[in-house]
């Protein structure tokens, strides 16, 4: 078994080796730029890991792994236009560095390039792999649309929120694992179990993100604590608080949500107090625990020796204990 | 052989039958909307025609034909954002009817849906078909980028202009014919010849468009005569005029190009007079004739009875004699 670090290095090297035409520069330079900005290459590493797990040669999975990374970066480029985001991983976003038209069009080419990379699998699984990839791609777009809708929507059900984070974040993790498993020679049953593992873990990870935004140690978390509260982001915590609050607390909470002039520190403190009154952290942790349990339960059912699966268990643990 | 009209009707019906999920509405309603706005369905009809030509069952080609149509409409939705176009085929564009974010994201889904439709071919040609489609998709994006670059660029070479219209318009026609031929059971040699036919004809058609914009009968052409002149669009005619003009004519032409305040009719008349002085219409017609000749020469080499090919000849003639 290759270590995660080794797999991440493999990806890093393969990303650096990707060659695109020189002209038109406005189309291809943004692709090289956004891919070089980095990130942890977690998604493609998961694909390689799944392939490795079933005894496949990770070199056969390298192009599909890059496909996942290029696809992920395509979604970042387009999402950043839609969210009007100035920065991504501390660097200027493509639509800011160039312009929105360049970001739209180079994003489009990235989606096509992702398909070209994903096609580099054995003919026996080609159609299956492309179907999984296409359905995932549609799901990710649906997730982004739901996310944008929820910003304007007054009432969002928790079930709809969980479905949104599943689509926007988790399905791509499941897809990476499933395709990696198929390349590695797994049966469809095992590939599906691994997909469930990735999807459920992805939802758990996103819930943890919601919790850490409020309760995380700012030194370890790397983001401003309370950022979601300041921006009224409809996180699990906020939705649960709105669900559980009695009339008086709800009025108080809505006053903070509707306030246009406020002291940020004061708002974060007040809303956190409400969250504490309603035990929303415990609810979120319970939900997170449920998804993690389902993830591990699926992994348990995968038909492989337990020590092989330990690798993914350790990976999941490392994701889920960033803080506590 | 099916008539063009019959094939267009088949497409029309299949487009109407396309079903997309109800939610999220902002993602899927624009797809149904733009597809319903219509157009002549020429590209998918060409795909069916090529399949039919080689004795294939057009029903086996219907999903790939739809893929071409959905892809084409994806490019329209994204191009209209980039060009800030208010109308498309006389109807409000997607980014105007909804907003640019909706247009970006539903366009993205359309590209994925196009792949899903294109995948519905026999396993024996799946990889080939997807490679042709992907390379074409990249080419179309490159063409759009070159087109946007040329707007800001002072000097554009005619060779670069011809390459731009080839990528932006012609390669998709070639792609449609090539994929249709492969589905119909053609050899790669014949499929490539048909591809060349489509590509060269596409360039000729685009050159004709440039000519008709200035010299067309407004009643038959359906567009404002001189629109390209008014907007300083770098057409073949303008580029050729800039190439042929002596110092005095060049100064005169540049005065019109740089004028910010002008009477439209006067500008069209003056620039047309310059075009006439330089015989650019004859040059454009010669170029158009060269591409048409190359198109027919490729078609002649296709290994099929002449009477079968007459169908495509008639089709090409019908495209190329809209005016004269």
């Amino acid at each position: 078994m290759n270590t995660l670090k080794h797999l991440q290095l493999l990806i890093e090297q393969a990303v650096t080796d990707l060659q695109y035409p020189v002209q038109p520069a406005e189309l291809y330079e943004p692709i090289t730029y956004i891919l070089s900005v980095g990130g942890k290459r977690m998604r493609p590493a998961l694909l390689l890991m799944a392939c490795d797990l079933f005894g496949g040669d990770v070199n056969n999975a390298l192009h599909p792994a890059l496909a996942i990374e290029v696809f992920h970066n395509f979604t970042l480029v387009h999402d950043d236009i839609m969210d009007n985001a100035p920065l991504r991983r501390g660097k200027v976003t493509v639509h800011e560095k160039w312009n929105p038209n360049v970001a739209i069009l180079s994003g489009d080419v990235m989606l096509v390039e992702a398909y070209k990379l994903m096609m580099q699998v054995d003919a026996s699984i080609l159609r299956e792999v492309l179907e999984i990839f296409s359905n995932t791609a549609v799901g990710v777009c649906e997730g982004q649309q739901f996310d944008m809708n929820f910003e304007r929507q007054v009432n969002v059900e928790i079930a709809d929120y969980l479905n949104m984070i599943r689509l926007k974040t988790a399905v791509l993790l499941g897809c990476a694992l499933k395709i990696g498993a198929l390349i590695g020679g797994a049966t469809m049953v095992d590939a599906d179990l691994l997909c469930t593992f990735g999807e459920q873990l992805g939802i758990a990870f996103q819930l943890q993100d919601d919790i850490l935004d409020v309760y995380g140690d700012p030194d370890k978390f790397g983001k401003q604590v309370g950022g979601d509260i300041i921006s009224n982001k409809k996180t699990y915590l906020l939705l649960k608080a709105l669900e559980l609050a009695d009339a008086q607390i709800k009025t108080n909470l809505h006053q903070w949500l509707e306030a246009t002039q406020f002291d940020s520190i004061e708002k974060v403190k007040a809303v956190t107090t409400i969250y504490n009154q309603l035990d929303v952290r415990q609810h979120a942790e319970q939900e997170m625990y449920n998804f993690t349990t389902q993830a591990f339960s699926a992994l348990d059912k995968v038909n492989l020796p337990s020590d092989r699966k330990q690798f993914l268990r350790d990976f999941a643990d490392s994701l889920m204990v960033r803080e506590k």
Side-chain angles (χ1 to χ4, degrees), chain A:
Chain A
M1 293 285 288
N2 291 285
T3 63
L4 176 60
K5 205 174 179 76
H6 176 67
L7 297 176
Q8 284 171 307
L9 277 174
L10 266 182
I11 299 288
E12 205 54 53
Q13 188 55 50
V15 167
T16 313
D17 291 345
L18 274 178
Q19 290 281 341
Y20 290 106
V22 176
Q23 291 293 337
E26 295 80 358
L27 198 62
Y28 290 111
E29 280 178 4
I31 303 182
T32 308
Y33 170 75
I34 188 74
L35 286 172
S36 75
V37 169
K40 294 187 294 293
R41 317 292 189 194
M42 215 47 108
R43 291 160 190 82
L46 276 175
L47 190 149
L48 296 186
M49 213 188 280
C51 172
D52 203 21
L53 200 66
F54 289 92
D57 181 348
V58 292
N59 290 305
N60 293 337
L62 213 46
H63 285 116
L66 283 175
I68 294 286
E69 185 66 7
V70 172
F71 173 80
H72 176 57
N73 279 275
F74 141 73
T75 66
L76 299 182
V77 170
H78 277 193
D79 285 5
D80 285 343
I81 311 172
M82 297 182 230
D83 301 342
N84 209 3
L87 296 174
R88 163 70 59 184
R89 298 169 187 148
K91 297 265 185 137
V92 184
T93 45
V94 170
H95 66 99
E96 285 284 336
K97 194 174 160 75
W98 285 270
N99 60 57
N101 286 357
V102 160
I104 292 172
L105 203 56
S106 50
D108 292 345
V109 171
M110 289 175 86
L111 178 49
V112 177
E113 293 294 337
Y115 268 100
K116 285 169 72 177
L117 289 162
M118 193 55 93
M119 279 165 59
Q120 297 180 43
V121 294
D122 192 80
S124 60
I125 54 168
L126 177 59
R127 189 186 303 273
E128 197 64 57
V129 163
L130 291 177
E131 272 171 10
I132 297 164
F133 181 57
S134 298
N135 291 333
T136 302
V138 169
V140 172
C141 292
E142 289 184 354
Q144 168 69 4
Q145 186 64 55
F146 281 128
D147 196 16
M148 293 195 294
N149 290 354
F150 291 173
E151 277 176 35
R152 300 181 280 95
Q153 211 166 300
V154 181
N155 294 311
V156 176
E157 299 288 327
I158 285 184
D160 293 334
Y161 174 74
L162 291 174
N163 187 45
M164 182 277 282
I165 60 175
R166 182 183 71 82
L167 290 166
K168 187 167 173 173
T169 311
V171 292
L172 189 59
L173 303 179
C175 166
L177 286 166
K178 187 170 180 179
I179 289 174
L182 290 174
I183 295 169
T187 62
M188 190 51 80
V189 172
D190 281 342
D192 274 329
L193 286 167
L194 222 51
C195 180
T196 304
F197 167 75
E199 222 176 280
Q200 303 293 307
L201 192 70
I203 299 171
F205 186 72
Q206 195 56 51
L207 288 170
Q208 178 177 257
D209 227 50
D210 287 0
I211 298 168
L212 290 180
D213 188 82
V214 178
Y215 295 104
D217 177 340
D219 295 335
K220 293 188 194 166
F221 188 46
K223 284 188 199 172
Q224 180 190 21
V225 166
D228 290 347
I229 290 177
I230 294 164
S231 67
N232 287 346
K233 197 174 162 208
K234 294 199 182 72
T235 65
Y236 183 90
L237 300 178
L238 176 56
L239 298 177
K240 196 72 191 177
L242 288 167
E243 184 189 295
L244 295 174
D246 61 21
Q248 197 193 334
I249 298 182
K250 200 170 269 176
T251 307
N252 188 4
L253 187 50
H254 273 293
Q255 272 166 358
W256 281 109
L257 292 174
E258 282 142 32
T260 49
Q261 301 240 326
F262 55 82
D263 176 79
S264 293
I265 296 174
E266 204 186 335
K267 180 174 176 180
V268 172
K269 207 172 149 189
V271 174
T272 307
T273 302
I274 295 172
Y275 286 177
N276 292 340
Q277 283 180 288
L278 299 169
D279 284 338
V280 293
R281 180 183 181 167
Q282 285 68 28
H283 281 95
E285 284 178 347
Q286 181 60 47
E287 196 83 76
M288 191 178 99
Y289 174 79
N290 293 345
F291 281 104
T292 313
T293 306
Q294 283 174 50
F296 283 117
S297 151
L299 184 60
D300 285 341
K301 291 185 197 128
V302 173
N303 185 25
L304 272 178
S306 185
D307 60 320
R308 296 233 108 191
K309 292 187 280 188
Q310 192 55 42
F311 201 66
L312 277 176
R313 268 191 215 100
D314 292 345
F315 169 74
D317 281 335
S318 76
L319 278 184
M320 299 310 295
V321 291
R322 291 195 303 173
E323 171 79 13
K324 249 180 197 176

